[in-house]
Amino acid sequence: MKATKFQKAVSFFALASAFSLAGCQKEALVEEPTPKITAAEEAANTGKIIEGEYIVVFKDKGRNPTDILNKLVASKKVNQDNIKFKLEGNLNGFTGKLTKTQLQELKGNAEIAAIEPDQIISAQGVTATTVTTTTQSVPWGVSMVGSGDGTGKTAWIIDSGVSTTHPDLNVDVARSANFNPNVSGVEDGYGHGSMVAGIIGAKNNSVGVVGVAPNAKIVALRVLDNNGAGSLSYLVKAVLHVNTYAKPGDVVNISLASGASSILDNYIKQVAAKGIFVAIAAGNSGVDCSNNSPQRVNATNVYTVSAMDQNKYFYNASNFGAPIDRAAPGVNITTTGKNGTYTYGHGTSFAAPHVAGLLLLRGNAIGTNGTVIGDKDSNADRIAKF
């Protein structure tokens, strides 16, 4: 797709974003008449193909991936200027543009293990209104699932970046990284990633809110721009980064979704196989998430999370289905916001980091607290608890 067409697709994605406002559980928070944060719910554009752009994975033959890519460029099966990213890790490859002829040639190439079209990804939550603090509060979700000391533990947040100077967040800027070429740095211009971060690790201090694993170290891996737009290829690159640099016992939170992608699913499984825990938001379309990635991944150390309200009723927009491992609070969740602010919102984006915090503290020994009421499938999801 030409650059102008891609920009139009991204603009449509941003315009398709939806607001959903609800009453706020203030808990010592005072609502201000400030502008609402633009938010991207799981819109119709999630999983939409980005025309002409692909993710290509090489077969693992112990060869240097650069050598394979150089050979493809030399034979004109790939144009050097059209390569976006090299993919390096247990599975190597690249992302970029291919002509129809190049695509057909690569499909028959002995070096290639898999090719998938790139897709638009979306954030799995809805932000609402900025609030201001009077005293420190413990959000209802944290009270329900429980909490502990997150000092010395690391959460990798693949999202829109994080508010790096937020007084309530312990952000490891040195290890943070940006994978979206349309923006620079990891400072959150959208707000979604900062909300996720606070639920996981907001400090237990005298102001703001408290997270499930207070004072945990937050590493921001940015894949969404200031409008909440990103692509599957950016997400894949970020997951490979986690696979390379995270350690067993760390947690990665992915409150994003794409359409089905075996390449992404396989990379998620590789991360989990190293002993790194993965918390994934189920999505907010009110459908079975078995056809979405990485939601559909079923593997040890991987937890797909649905959302519920304060009375343990299943959130009506939450996705459901066999991939779900836990339910967690996801309605009227107060947390940290961009630019050092505080905000609240709802969606499975905010359920997943409750589980991420618990995984940091207890790993696979996290408990349960009954089941949700009104689940949309035949198996009521177990509620996560410390």
Side-chain angles (χ1 to χ4, degrees), residues 16 122 148 232 305 333:
S122 70
L232 175 62
V305 186
I333 302 299

Side-chain angles (χ1 to χ4, degrees), residues 68-339:
I68 300 174
L69 191 52
N70 287 342
K71 180 180 176 181
L72 294 173
V73 170
S75 63
K76 301 188 183 301
K77 292 181 172 63
V78 178
N79 296 336
Q80 181 70 52
D81 293 342
N82 288 339
I83 298 170
K84 290 171 62 177
F85 294 121
K86 290 181 182 179
L87 302 176
E88 297 178 308
N90 290 346
L91 292 174
N92 301 302
F94 71 95
T95 71
K97 296 180 180 180
L98 298 173
T99 66
K100 291 181 179 179
T101 299
Q102 289 171 336
L103 176 62
Q104 292 306 314
E105 289 178 344
L106 289 185
K107 285 182 176 180
N109 192 295
E111 303 280 11
I112 307 303
I115 304 176
E116 289 183 2
D118 204 353
Q119 309 175 31
I120 291 174
I121 59 174
S122 70
Q124 299 305 292
V126 183
T127 54
T129 303
T130 301
V131 296
T132 187
T133 63
T134 54
T135 60
Q136 179 179 274
S137 65
V138 180
W140 76 263
V142 175
S143 294
M144 178 173 284
V145 304
S147 61
D149 185 10
T151 302
K153 300 179 184 297
T154 300
W156 304 72
I157 298 176
I158 302 178
D159 213 290
S160 60
V162 172
S163 179
T164 59
T165 59
H166 201 296
D168 226 356
L169 296 176
N170 180 18
V171 184
D172 188 338
V173 177
R175 286 198 288 168
S176 297
N178 172 45
F179 300 100
N180 188 320
N182 300 313
V183 290
S184 60
V186 298
E187 190 64 34
D188 189 0
Y190 181 56
H192 193 266
S194 298
M195 295 185 76
V196 169
I199 296 167
I200 295 174
K203 299 175 185 177
N204 187 5
N205 50 21
S206 60
V207 297
V209 294
V210 179
V212 175
N215 208 42
K217 196 164 290 186
I218 302 297
V219 181
L221 301 182
R222 189 178 187 185
V223 298
L224 301 181
D225 65 17
N226 293 341
N227 295 313
S231 74
L232 175 62
S233 59
Y234 309 159
L235 177 53
V236 165
K237 184 70 172 175
V239 171
L240 279 173
H241 187 84
V242 171
N243 190 58
T244 301
Y245 295 104
K247 298 178 180 179
D250 288 357
V251 170
V252 56
N253 189 95
I254 305 176
S255 289
L256 310 169
S258 75
S261 169
S262 295
I263 291 176
L264 176 60
D265 294 346
N266 287 335
Y267 284 153
I268 294 290
K269 290 174 184 177
Q270 287 187 4
V271 167
K274 294 181 67 174
I276 300 163
F277 299 102
V278 185
I280 302 168
N284 309 307
S285 292
V287 299
D288 191 322
C289 63
S290 298
N291 295 317
N292 290 95
S293 293
Q295 286 69 20
R296 65 181 186 170
V297 174
N298 183 19
T300 301
N301 300 331
V302 177
Y303 291 76
T304 300
V305 186
S306 62
M308 66 178 191
D309 67 16
Q310 194 165 359
N311 296 311
K312 299 185 179 181
Y313 280 91
F314 195 80
Y315 172 48
N316 61 358
S318 176
N319 287 352
F320 54 88
I324 306 297
D325 299 284
R326 291 289 191 281
V331 178
N332 294 340
I333 302 299
T334 305
T335 181
T336 51
K338 67 178 182 178
N339 300 325

Side-chain angles (χ1 to χ4, degrees), residues 118 328 341 364:
D118 204 353
T341 62
N364 288 323

